[in-house]
Amino acid sequence: MKPIGELIKQKPWIGWLTFFGTIIVVFFLGLLASSIIERRAEAVFAYTPQVEYDQMEPRIEIWGMNYPREYQTYLKTADTTFRSKYNGAAMVDMLEKAPELVILWAGYAFSIDYNQGRGHMHAIDDVRNTLRTGSPMTPEEGPQPGTCWTCKSPDVPRMMNQIGIAEFYSSTLAKLGPEIVNPIGCADCHNATTQALQISRPGLIEAFQRQGKDINKATHQEMRSLVCAQCHVEYYFKGDGKYLTLPWDKGFTVEEMEAYYDEYAFADWTHKLSRAPMIKAQHPDYELYRFGIHYDRGVSCADCHMPYKSEGGVKFTNHHIQSPLNNIENSCKVCHREETDELIRNVYQRQDAIYQTRTLLEKALAKAHIEAKFAWDKGATEKQMAPVLKLIRAAQWRWDYMAASHGASFHAPVESSRVVSLGLEKAQEARVEIARILASLGYTQPVPMPDISTKAKAQAYIGLDMKELRKKKAGFLEKIVPEWIRIAKEREAQYPINKL
Amino acid sequence: MKPIGELIKQKPWIGWLTFFGTIIVVFFLGLLASSIIERRAEAVFAYTPQVEYDQMEPRIEIWGMNYPREYQTYLKTADTTFRSKYNGAAMVDMLEKAPELVILWAGYAFSIDYNQGRGHMHAIDDVRNTLRTGSPMTPEEGPQPGTCWTCKSPDVPRMMNQIGIAEFYSSTLAKLGPEIVNPIGCADCHNATTQALQISRPGLIEAFQRQGKDINKATHQEMRSLVCAQCHVEYYFKGDGKYLTLPWDKGFTVEEMEAYYDEYAFADWTHKLSRAPMIKAQHPDYELYRFGIHYDRGVSCADCHMPYKSEGGVKFTNHHIQSPLNNIENSCKVCHREETDELIRNVYQRQDAIYQTRTLLEKALAKAHIEAKFAWDKGATEKQMAPVLKLIRAAQWRWDYMAASHGASFHAPVESSRVVSLGLEKAQEARVEIARILASLGYTQPVPMPDISTKAKAQAYIGLDMKELRKKKAGFLEKIVPEWIRIAKEREAQYPINKL
């Protein structure tokens, strides 16, 4: 073989071929490099701050000027359609769907109004609109305390900072009405300077402290669940100051939280029919998720509910928080290689199983309350009824712990099922006991059941004047809410927005 | 640069280096090839048939001459130690562990004796030894039919071939005693000529036919579960001929099988205390496994219970059938990358949850039976008791469907939990009803509970003379069983074994 120099000397076209070939290759390399640089530039551009604001800025549209992708996807939480077999669409009237719930919550605000929740963007509207918050025509009026606002708005940390935490909770809901106007937003979870995830709500921080843990030592991956756990947890309003408290001191199981409440002899309300001292579960989403396989495998809330998204050269967290069933390709399929239909079927299978037993428990509990009332009416004594009331309290706490927890039958199907089973056993045990009490009072027939086949009938049975409640609400929404909004707009118009 | 020929002319050591370098590389390539060929030879040697036998050969030691690895690992099923949190060790006395079971099975053989099962190699011994099979001193004596042998031995297809299937089932257990002597073995699942998996038991084939399916069209992967499903299923002894039948015609769920049994008004026995017409679940292992995620993902029984093993150059199916918990590295970890302790914890978490509710159901059922007896004793009428008996039958069928199924709380935790919950609801509903009946009979106190805190006390309560039963069994084991073994040995000594 000849050296290349000698070869070119003999056949000059080889040299030209090499020369022009190289030119072409280098040209395309140049194009590629240009494309890479352009995408980098796009990314840098995307994250160039446009305005300056501080941690107390509640408006997402201001934060959104600097983080348009996160902002724009977050706006989509206003979209209320979602795929769910059992919860129906957002805002489905759950009392219409299962009128037994009216009985279960008799004497408590939930028996008046309870709809399937919807996206974060509706948080403020839904608090104003629900009949549960009543119709306060003056700032001093109830029925609800300021604590009800706690999870609803980035105006909450702003106001807690301004007036103090205890003062915030012990205020009325109405008094804070003109202040709490922006639905859940950026400042609830993010640091205004670094965008790092951070906890803005005292309840979670204090619960960690009482457990001897420092929430500041949580990893980033833990924070991707803990920012959600600021609100998606079980909590109660402690004492006269209605101080929002997480009942985690003994642990996260249904029994450990019950032990916590029992130690305080805490009751949210006394049941109107059975007279049992009841606990209303909020939504122990984070707690139940901890008993599931996804938690065990280190999967955070954001991994499934806010999976990463790519747009142009930018990868970012999709802030359209939603059911992963709406977005299986980007959530489940990051780990699971099965077909979409198969994955949905797997979820529904869990929901089917637990929904079936949960419904049985609902019906058993409704019967237990009605039968207990019947026993009282027949002259049962406090002493006779004491064990019954204890069983009803425990059974309904188990039902509510599971039923109120969003996605429980998927997050932790086995634990959910266990909890419902235990509730079922206790509800039925209560009914055995009532049958004996009734017998001792000379009544040996089945207790006649009222017609509670619709929400309206069930509400009439427990003595609610729904027409009056709705009329008052309409007056409140017409007169008070627009005034709150007007005051808030005036205030916000004076906030400085510094263009950078 | 100079051509290589010119280079070597100038520096001859380059040529020599290339030459010797090549020699060394080729030498090691030769070694590698030799090693590969040797391993192949080993594999060929391992599978060279040594003897010839046909499908009716029941002895595993004969099959084992041709397949020593499969044979030797299968022998390990005699090892009775296994890792389980709830079932204790093999042969643990389950009636001692949960004396409520004695009540649940009152009037039925299981109330006499029920131990945790052990490996396949013990199948024959355990049938002879259990008090459930009684002490037949002549071939004509009961209490059990030939059907009881069906799952226990490769002598079964041999005898079915010889005397006919219906004749086999309708025979007494004792009459077949000298024939059925080899514990579960090769011929139960394998073709003697090709070693392919094949179904030897008519029950499964017939169930497929009635469902309009052809079991011969099953894939190899399906067969890796179906050979197990020959026995690890729910079945019953149909009619006077005690024909072994799988109740699959309506489906695999607890409700669908119940509908099948209800249609026939089938009862395994009438309960001695409650007088309810009871169904005894066998072990719906395959059925419940079908509701689990491993089935959904195409994992077969053999994948976890008989994972592949490598020895020398040979990869073979480990025939030491056992709990995957004993062999997590080769079973779970083929797919799951978690630490062993974490995987065990995940299994125990499922078992814990379901064991808790199952135990509640056991206790509720025991109470229901005892309370029903009390109601009968107080003069309850057939008409009053009819709904109670129906509830008890349904509740215990749900309990047994789940409790009798090996590994149900792992194979299908959500379905298991659903089934137990439904049982719990029905058992408690029965108790509510009994309380009302008792009240109508003038009895309003809780029903006094007998002391059933130990197996002995529970068995005394239901009127069993255990001393007598044990004495008879000892006589049977001393006189009859050795005779069965002697006859079998003489017969087998005459089987031809052809050396190849």
Side-chain angles (χ1 to χ4, degrees), chain A residues 1 3 255 291 293 296-297 338 342-343 345-346 349-350 353 356-357 360 371 413-414 417-418 421-422 424-425 428-429 431-432 435-436 439-440 444-446, chain B residues 1 3 255 291 293 296-297 338 342-343 345-346 349-350 353-354 356-357 360 371 413-414 417-418 421-422 424-425 428-429 431-432 435-436 439-440 444-446:
Chain A
M1 211 182 147
E255 291 89 356
F291 295 107
I293 198 70
D296 274 338
R297 297 292 178 264
E338 282 70 32
E342 170 76 359
L343 291 168
R345 203 182 62 75
N346 294 148
Q349 196 183 16
R350 282 155 182 70
Q356 186 184 15
T357 48
L360 283 176
E371 289 167 355
V414 179
S417 210
R418 181 186 79 88
S421 300
L422 296 177
L424 202 47
E425 198 260 346
Q428 293 285 62
E429 195 67 36
R431 298 186 59 221
V432 174
R436 282 202 200 107
S440 77
T444 60
Q445 295 303 304
Chain B
M1 209 186 152
E255 290 89 356
F291 295 106
I293 196 71
D296 274 339
R297 297 291 178 264
E338 282 70 33
E342 170 76 358
L343 290 167
R345 202 180 63 75
N346 294 147
Q349 196 184 15
R350 283 155 182 69
I354 292 160
Q356 186 185 16
T357 49
L360 283 177
E371 289 167 354
V414 179
S417 211
R418 182 186 78 89
S421 300
L422 297 176
L424 202 47
E425 197 260 347
Q428 293 286 63
E429 194 68 35
R431 298 186 58 222
V432 175
R436 282 201 201 108
S440 76
T444 60
Q445 294 304 303

XYZ file of all heavy atoms in Angstrom, chain A residues 1 3 255 291 293 296-297 338 342-343 345-346 349-350 353 356-357 360 371 413-414 417-418 421-422 424-425 428-429 431-432 435-436 439-440 444-446, chain B residues 1 3 255 291 293 296-297 338 342-343 345-346 349-350 353-354 356-357 360 371 413-414 417-418 421-422 424-425 428-429 431-432 435-436 439-440 444-446:
634
model
N 0.838 -1.219 0.000
C 0.000 0.000 0.000
C 0.867 1.260 0.000
O 1.890 1.323 0.691
C -0.873 -0.008 1.263
C -2.193 0.681 1.038
S -3.135 0.680 2.591
C -3.978 2.220 2.403
N 1.798 5.371 0.628
C 1.413 6.491 1.501
C 0.422 7.408 0.764
O 0.480 7.504 -0.466
C 2.715 7.229 1.780
C 3.798 6.340 1.286
C 3.233 5.339 0.335
N -55.670 3.780 63.854
C -55.747 3.508 65.286
C -54.927 4.519 66.087
O -55.342 4.951 67.171
C -55.222 2.098 65.604
C -56.096 0.965 65.113
C -55.761 0.515 63.685
O -54.890 1.161 63.051
O -56.366 -0.458 63.211
N -48.753 4.280 53.376
C -48.922 2.833 53.541
C -48.945 2.096 52.199
O -49.223 0.903 52.167
C -50.201 2.529 54.329
C -50.142 3.036 55.733
C -50.875 4.137 56.130
C -49.319 2.418 56.661
C -50.801 4.619 57.431
C -49.242 2.886 57.963
C -49.973 3.991 58.346
N -47.407 1.116 48.153
C -46.167 0.646 47.541
C -45.420 1.785 46.851
O -44.195 1.769 46.776
C -46.450 -0.520 46.567
C -45.174 -1.306 46.251
C -47.126 -0.045 45.294
C -44.661 -2.115 47.400
N -43.377 3.358 49.428
C -42.294 2.427 49.755
C -41.161 2.494 48.740
O -40.002 2.292 49.079
C -42.826 0.981 49.775
C -43.413 0.608 51.129
O -43.055 1.266 52.122
O -44.215 -0.329 51.180
N -41.531 2.739 47.477
C -40.515 2.751 46.429
C -39.966 4.146 46.153
O -39.329 4.387 45.124
C -41.102 2.161 45.143
C -41.512 0.690 45.258
C -40.318 -0.231 45.422
N -40.758 -1.608 45.574
C -40.922 -2.215 46.748
N -40.655 -1.567 47.879
N -41.328 -3.465 46.803
N -46.735 -1.303 30.886
C -47.969 -1.920 30.408
C -48.776 -0.965 29.533
O -48.554 0.242 29.544
C -48.838 -2.365 31.605
C -48.346 -3.640 32.236
C -47.035 -3.461 32.987
O -46.796 -2.356 33.547
O -46.231 -4.413 33.008
N -54.647 -1.390 30.246
C -54.331 -2.367 31.285
C -54.073 -1.641 32.616
O -54.560 -2.059 33.672
C -53.084 -3.165 30.854
C -52.459 -4.058 31.906
C -53.236 -5.326 32.151
O -54.289 -5.511 31.504
O -52.806 -6.122 33.011
N -53.340 -0.542 32.558
C -53.047 0.211 33.783
C -54.328 0.791 34.382
O -54.526 0.759 35.598
C -52.038 1.327 33.485
C -50.620 0.836 33.158
C -49.768 1.966 32.586
C -49.942 0.236 34.393
N -57.299 -0.424 34.000
C -58.030 -1.573 34.530
C -57.501 -1.947 35.929
O -58.277 -2.234 36.839
C -57.865 -2.760 33.571
C -58.951 -3.828 33.671
C -58.662 -4.972 32.707
N -57.422 -5.661 32.990
C -57.254 -6.522 34.002
N -58.251 -6.807 34.809
N -56.085 -7.091 34.201
N -56.188 -1.905 36.098
C -55.587 -2.225 37.393
C -56.047 -1.251 38.481
O -56.306 -1.647 39.616
C -54.059 -2.207 37.308
C -53.489 -3.311 36.425
O -52.459 -3.125 35.794
N -54.157 -4.456 36.353
N -59.795 -1.898 39.244
C -59.963 -3.140 40.003
C -59.842 -2.854 41.507
O -60.656 -3.329 42.310
C -58.877 -4.125 39.560
C -59.131 -5.561 39.951
C -57.968 -6.466 39.536
O -56.870 -5.996 39.227
N -58.215 -7.763 39.544
N -58.845 -2.045 41.876
C -58.665 -1.676 43.289
C -59.844 -0.834 43.768
O -60.380 -1.042 44.859
C -57.354 -0.899 43.446
C -56.135 -1.808 43.441
C -54.857 -1.123 43.001
N -53.773 -2.081 42.977
C -53.682 -3.069 42.081
N -54.592 -3.226 41.146
N -52.661 -3.932 42.135
N -63.122 -2.935 44.271
C -63.127 -3.782 45.466
C -63.421 -2.953 46.707
O -64.249 -3.325 47.556
C -61.796 -4.499 45.607
N -66.939 -1.196 46.941
C -68.008 -2.125 47.331
C -68.135 -2.227 48.857
O -69.228 -2.116 49.411
C -67.717 -3.510 46.740
C -68.848 -4.494 46.967
C -68.524 -5.894 46.463
O -67.374 -6.219 46.199
N -69.544 -6.725 46.351
N -67.010 -2.409 49.539
C -67.085 -2.566 50.991
C -67.337 -1.220 51.679
O -68.024 -1.153 52.693
C -65.809 -3.209 51.548
O -64.668 -2.539 51.014
C -65.731 -4.664 51.135
N -71.009 -0.669 51.673
C -71.648 -1.473 52.721
C -71.508 -0.797 54.075
O -72.450 -0.769 54.882
C -70.998 -2.863 52.788
C -71.388 -3.866 51.709
C -70.590 -5.139 51.884
C -72.885 -4.156 51.790
N -80.951 3.553 64.079
C -81.367 2.614 65.123
C -81.037 3.142 66.515
O -81.799 2.941 67.466
C -80.707 1.247 64.884
C -81.297 0.522 63.662
C -80.472 -0.675 63.212
O -79.383 -0.910 63.766
O -80.917 -1.377 62.287
N -54.289 0.397 48.703
C -55.499 -0.434 48.656
C -55.633 -1.401 49.826
O -56.736 -1.579 50.341
C -55.370 -1.184 47.320
C -53.948 -1.030 46.890
C -53.452 0.231 47.493
N -54.535 -1.990 50.237
C -54.638 -2.996 51.304
C -54.959 -2.332 52.634
O -55.839 -2.785 53.374
C -53.348 -3.832 51.394
C -53.452 -4.853 52.514
C -53.073 -4.535 50.061
N -58.542 -1.110 52.609
C -59.451 -2.222 52.759
C -59.485 -2.690 54.218
O -60.543 -2.997 54.757
C -58.960 -3.340 51.847
O -60.003 -4.111 51.399
N -58.326 -2.723 54.829
C -58.247 -3.105 56.238
C -59.085 -2.140 57.083
O -59.891 -2.568 57.920
C -56.783 -3.052 56.709
C -56.565 -3.453 58.159
C -55.118 -3.251 58.605
N -54.815 -1.868 58.930
C -54.982 -1.306 60.130
N -55.431 -2.034 61.132
N -54.697 -0.036 60.330
N -62.790 -2.638 56.587
C -63.242 -3.878 57.228
C -63.440 -3.681 58.717
O -64.427 -4.139 59.297
C -62.203 -4.997 57.046
O -62.004 -5.256 55.696
N -62.480 -3.015 59.338
C -62.580 -2.796 60.776
C -63.790 -1.918 61.099
O -64.490 -2.148 62.091
C -61.300 -2.141 61.301
C -60.044 -3.001 61.152
C -58.816 -2.232 61.624
C -60.172 -4.298 61.943
N -66.505 -1.768 59.336
C -67.685 -2.593 59.100
C -67.974 -3.475 60.315
O -69.123 -3.621 60.746
C -67.394 -3.456 57.870
C -68.529 -4.057 57.058
C -69.611 -3.045 56.762
C -67.963 -4.606 55.740
N -66.930 -4.047 60.880
C -67.100 -4.911 62.039
C -67.675 -4.121 63.216
O -68.588 -4.579 63.901
C -65.739 -5.535 62.398
C -65.822 -6.759 63.285
C -65.545 -6.439 64.734
O -65.029 -5.337 65.009
O -65.846 -7.291 65.593
N -71.393 -2.971 62.649
C -72.334 -4.077 62.831
C -72.409 -4.497 64.302
O -73.472 -4.862 64.797
C -71.916 -5.262 61.951
C -72.059 -4.982 60.445
C -73.503 -5.014 59.971
O -74.326 -4.220 60.409
N -73.795 -5.928 59.076
N -71.268 -4.417 64.986
C -71.249 -4.728 66.414
C -72.164 -3.738 67.161
O -72.915 -4.133 68.071
C -69.810 -4.637 66.940
C -69.577 -5.264 68.297
C -69.728 -6.773 68.305
O -69.343 -7.419 67.310
O -70.252 -7.320 69.307
N -74.756 -2.366 65.953
C -76.143 -2.720 65.635
C -76.612 -3.939 66.444
O -77.774 -4.017 66.859
C -76.291 -2.945 64.130
C -75.969 -1.659 63.334
C -76.255 -1.837 61.863
N -77.634 -2.184 61.670
C -78.059 -3.101 60.789
N -77.193 -3.759 60.038
N -79.337 -3.361 60.678
N -75.698 -4.909 66.656
C -76.040 -6.055 67.519
C -76.411 -5.555 68.907
O -77.422 -5.950 69.502
C -74.837 -7.043 67.627
C -75.145 -8.151 68.631
C -74.486 -7.632 66.263
N -79.765 -3.815 68.992
C -80.863 -4.792 68.939
C -81.126 -5.344 70.343
O -82.280 -5.524 70.754
C -80.512 -5.918 67.964
N -80.064 -5.580 71.102
C -80.227 -6.087 72.474
C -80.867 -5.054 73.382
O -81.742 -5.366 74.197
C -78.860 -6.481 73.044
C -78.393 -7.806 72.526
C -77.369 -8.433 73.459
N -76.625 -9.422 72.693
C -75.376 -9.271 72.286
N -74.682 -8.183 72.600
N -74.780 -10.222 71.587
N -84.454 -4.797 72.592
C -85.156 -5.962 73.126
C -85.424 -5.773 74.613
O -86.531 -6.044 75.103
C -84.334 -7.216 72.881
N -84.410 -5.271 75.324
C -84.579 -5.078 76.774
C -85.636 -4.010 77.047
O -86.199 -3.940 78.132
C -83.245 -4.699 77.424
O -82.961 -3.341 77.149
N -88.797 -5.764 69.686
C -88.057 -6.888 69.110
C -88.142 -6.952 67.592
O -87.657 -7.895 66.986
C -88.590 -8.224 69.675
O -89.983 -8.339 69.331
C -88.446 -8.288 71.173
N -88.742 -5.951 66.988
C -88.837 -5.946 65.518
C -87.651 -5.199 64.919
O -86.955 -4.468 65.620
C -90.147 -5.236 65.104
C -91.390 -5.956 65.547
C -91.435 -7.372 65.018
O -91.345 -7.586 63.823
N -91.505 -8.353 65.910
N -87.444 -5.377 63.610
C -86.460 -4.517 62.951
C -86.886 -3.060 63.093
O -88.081 -2.758 63.090
C -86.518 -4.960 61.488
C -87.070 -6.348 61.525
C -87.994 -6.399 62.703
N 4.012 8.280 5.783
C 3.973 6.967 6.453
C 4.346 5.883 5.454
O 3.969 5.907 4.282
C 2.548 6.726 6.989
C 2.515 5.849 8.209
S 0.778 5.511 8.635
C 0.956 3.938 9.412
N 4.609 1.959 3.919
C 3.848 0.697 3.917
C 4.446 -0.269 4.929
O 5.646 -0.192 5.230
C 3.975 0.182 2.490
C 4.639 1.249 1.702
C 5.261 2.228 2.625
N -68.459 -14.741 44.581
C -69.898 -14.646 44.328
C -70.330 -15.620 43.223
O -71.395 -16.221 43.306
C -70.299 -13.213 43.918
C -70.218 -12.180 45.029
C -68.848 -11.521 45.109
O -67.932 -11.931 44.349
O -68.668 -10.615 45.938
N -56.745 -12.886 40.430
C -57.160 -11.520 40.736
C -55.993 -10.639 41.178
O -56.204 -9.499 41.600
C -58.256 -11.515 41.801
C -59.520 -12.170 41.334
C -59.886 -13.420 41.797
C -60.320 -11.551 40.392
C -61.043 -14.040 41.351
C -61.474 -12.157 39.929
C -61.830 -13.408 40.406
N -51.909 -8.954 40.821
C -51.126 -8.220 39.833
C -50.114 -9.138 39.134
O -49.770 -8.918 37.975
C -50.426 -6.993 40.487
C -49.946 -5.996 39.429
C -49.256 -7.422 41.375
C -51.055 -5.248 38.747
N -51.878 -10.676 36.342
C -52.090 -9.621 35.334
C -50.846 -9.394 34.482
O -50.938 -9.055 33.313
C -52.451 -8.293 36.024
C -53.938 -8.182 36.306
O -54.722 -8.884 35.649
O -54.309 -7.393 37.189
N -49.689 -9.547 35.108
C -48.447 -9.264 34.394
C -47.835 -10.527 33.764
O -46.677 -10.535 33.354
C -47.423 -8.619 35.344
C -47.857 -7.273 35.891
C -47.878 -6.188 34.831
N -48.338 -4.917 35.399
C -49.600 -4.495 35.331
N -50.522 -5.210 34.722
N -49.931 -3.332 35.865
N -35.519 -4.368 44.694
C -35.438 -3.888 46.076
C -34.616 -4.842 46.952
O -34.352 -5.984 46.586
C -36.851 -3.744 46.655
C -37.563 -2.501 46.179
C -37.940 -2.552 44.717
O -38.232 -3.660 44.217
O -37.910 -1.500 44.050
N -36.696 -5.439 52.458
C -37.779 -4.553 52.021
C -38.887 -5.385 51.356
O -40.081 -5.176 51.623
C -37.203 -3.530 51.028
C -38.217 -2.676 50.288
C -38.816 -1.574 51.134
O -38.470 -1.482 52.322
O -39.654 -0.822 50.607
N -38.496 -6.345 50.536
C -39.488 -7.183 49.856
C -40.266 -8.021 50.875
O -41.489 -8.156 50.780
C -38.806 -8.082 48.829
C -38.241 -7.347 47.596
C -37.324 -8.252 46.787
C -39.364 -6.812 46.718
N -40.754 -7.257 53.961
C -41.603 -6.308 54.685
C -42.881 -6.029 53.893
O -43.976 -5.966 54.453
C -40.827 -5.000 54.907
C -41.317 -4.132 56.045
C -40.485 -2.856 56.179
N -40.597 -2.021 54.991
C -41.664 -1.268 54.683
N -42.691 -1.229 55.500
N -41.694 -0.553 53.577
N -42.749 -5.873 52.592
C -43.921 -5.620 51.735
C -44.914 -6.782 51.788
O -46.119 -6.573 51.799
C -43.487 -5.394 50.281
C -42.674 -4.133 50.074
O -41.799 -4.079 49.227
N -42.917 -3.104 50.881
N -46.588 -6.817 55.255
C -47.538 -5.715 55.395
C -48.917 -6.148 54.884
O -49.941 -5.891 55.520
C -47.019 -4.532 54.585
C -47.669 -3.211 54.911
C -47.154 -2.098 53.988
O -46.534 -2.376 52.951
N -47.415 -0.869 54.359
N -48.928 -6.831 53.727
C -50.183 -7.340 53.165
C -50.779 -8.398 54.088
O -51.988 -8.399 54.373
C -49.928 -7.929 51.776
C -49.783 -6.866 50.720
C -48.978 -7.299 49.511
N -48.852 -6.192 48.590
C -48.135 -5.092 48.813
N -47.454 -4.959 49.945
N -48.090 -4.113 47.934
N -52.343 -6.931 57.348
C -53.625 -6.248 57.179
C -54.757 -7.257 57.061
O -55.801 -7.111 57.695
C -53.578 -5.354 55.937
N -54.538 -8.289 56.259
C -55.629 -9.214 55.979
C -55.806 -10.210 57.118
O -56.927 -10.601 57.443
C -55.398 -9.880 54.613
C -55.546 -8.793 53.541
C -56.358 -11.025 54.373
C -54.934 -9.114 52.243
N -55.520 -9.551 60.169
C -56.276 -8.850 61.219
C -57.787 -8.950 60.983
O -58.541 -9.287 61.897
C -55.852 -7.379 61.260
C -56.471 -6.622 62.419
C -56.139 -5.139 62.383
O -55.697 -4.604 61.370
N -56.370 -4.468 63.500
N -58.221 -8.688 59.750
C -59.659 -8.726 59.487
C -60.165 -10.161 59.404
O -61.283 -10.453 59.811
C -60.008 -7.965 58.193
O -59.132 -8.386 57.150
C -59.822 -6.484 58.391
N -60.906 -11.282 62.847
C -62.178 -10.719 63.313
C -63.348 -11.513 62.761
O -64.327 -11.791 63.469
C -62.316 -9.260 62.851
C -61.519 -8.214 63.606
C -61.723 -6.851 62.955
C -61.961 -8.161 65.070
N -74.436 -18.465 68.849
C -75.673 -17.728 69.113
C -76.862 -18.368 68.393
O -77.983 -18.399 68.921
C -75.508 -16.255 68.706
C -74.582 -15.490 69.654
C -74.140 -14.134 69.129
O -74.456 -13.800 67.964
O -73.456 -13.403 69.877
N -54.100 -9.361 47.375
C -54.443 -8.739 48.655
C -55.751 -7.955 48.616
O -56.517 -8.003 49.576
C -53.249 -7.825 48.948
C -52.499 -7.710 47.669
C -52.790 -8.937 46.879
N -56.006 -7.245 47.540
C -57.204 -6.406 47.505
C -58.461 -7.271 47.410
O -59.438 -7.045 48.125
C -57.126 -5.396 46.337
C -58.384 -4.550 46.293
C -55.905 -4.512 46.480
N -59.057 -9.030 50.687
C -59.577 -8.103 51.667
C -61.051 -7.810 51.401
O -61.863 -7.748 52.335
C -58.767 -6.816 51.557
O -58.676 -6.181 52.771
N -61.399 -7.668 50.132
C -62.794 -7.455 49.760
C -63.652 -8.618 50.243
O -64.698 -8.422 50.869
C -62.908 -7.346 48.227
C -64.311 -7.075 47.713
C -64.380 -7.118 46.178
N -64.400 -8.469 45.652
C -65.493 -9.206 45.445
N -66.681 -8.694 45.705
N -65.414 -10.430 44.979
N -64.078 -8.673 53.978
C -64.978 -7.600 54.418
C -66.429 -8.001 54.221
O -67.277 -7.765 55.092
C -64.743 -6.322 53.613
O -63.435 -5.880 53.776
N -66.722 -8.583 53.061
C -68.091 -8.985 52.779
C -68.533 -10.066 53.760
O -69.683 -10.064 54.220
C -68.207 -9.496 51.341
C -67.906 -8.441 50.265
C -67.957 -9.070 48.887
C -68.900 -7.296 50.353
N -67.423 -10.426 56.779
C -67.586 -9.769 58.076
C -68.956 -9.100 58.168
O -69.650 -9.185 59.187
C -66.469 -8.731 58.210
C -66.040 -8.234 59.565
C -65.847 -9.366 60.544
C -64.730 -7.448 59.426
N -69.346 -8.444 57.091
C -70.638 -7.749 57.070
C -71.778 -8.755 57.240
O -72.711 -8.525 57.998
C -70.757 -6.982 55.739
C -71.834 -5.910 55.750
C -73.100 -6.362 55.071
O -73.060 -7.403 54.376
O -74.133 -5.693 55.242
N -71.898 -10.400 60.806
C -72.456 -9.478 61.796
C -73.950 -9.255 61.566
O -74.727 -9.112 62.517
C -71.687 -8.146 61.767
C -70.233 -8.251 62.238
C -70.112 -8.405 63.740
O -70.574 -9.391 64.316
N -69.476 -7.440 64.381
N -74.340 -9.243 60.297
C -75.763 -9.114 59.968
C -76.536 -10.314 60.545
O -77.638 -10.154 61.095
C -75.923 -9.054 58.444
C -77.276 -8.602 57.949
C -77.580 -7.139 58.249
O -76.644 -6.319 58.208
O -78.745 -6.831 58.548
N -75.740 -11.918 63.159
C -75.804 -11.747 64.614
C -76.876 -10.712 65.011
O -77.538 -10.873 66.043
C -74.427 -11.368 65.161
C -73.385 -12.473 64.889
C -72.062 -12.178 65.554
N -72.237 -12.023 66.985
C -71.638 -11.082 67.712
N -70.829 -10.219 67.136
N -71.852 -11.004 69.010
N -77.022 -9.661 64.198
C -78.091 -8.689 64.449
C -79.439 -9.413 64.416
O -80.300 -9.245 65.291
C -78.086 -7.558 63.383
C -79.282 -6.632 63.577
C -76.784 -6.765 63.437
N -80.029 -11.643 67.381
C -80.372 -10.847 68.571
C -81.866 -10.523 68.564
O -82.537 -10.561 69.601
C -79.532 -9.567 68.610
N -82.403 -10.214 67.374
C -83.835 -9.903 67.261
C -84.696 -11.132 67.537
O -85.723 -11.045 68.209
C -84.152 -9.378 65.856
C -83.748 -7.945 65.692
C -84.493 -7.290 64.541
N -83.715 -6.115 64.137
C -83.020 -6.025 63.020
N -83.000 -7.025 62.159
N -82.339 -4.937 62.749
N -84.708 -11.847 71.143
C -85.559 -10.878 71.826
C -87.028 -11.270 71.699
O -87.786 -11.221 72.670
C -85.327 -9.492 71.241
N -87.395 -11.701 70.478
C -88.801 -12.098 70.267
C -89.143 -13.337 71.089
O -90.303 -13.617 71.344
C -89.051 -12.349 68.782
O -88.495 -13.598 68.405
N -83.052 -11.211 76.161
C -82.495 -9.928 75.736
C -81.057 -9.706 76.193
O -80.490 -8.638 75.992
C -83.351 -8.771 76.280
O -83.348 -8.843 77.705
C -84.777 -8.857 75.769
N -80.472 -10.724 76.788
C -79.084 -10.571 77.256
C -78.119 -11.048 76.170
O -78.520 -11.736 75.238
C -78.877 -11.426 78.518
C -79.676 -10.963 79.710
C -79.378 -9.519 80.031
O -78.237 -9.144 80.267
N -80.414 -8.677 80.005
N -76.835 -10.679 76.318
C -75.848 -11.290 75.422
C -75.864 -12.803 75.623
O -76.074 -13.288 76.732
C -74.523 -10.696 75.896
C -74.880 -9.422 76.582
C -76.238 -9.664 77.188
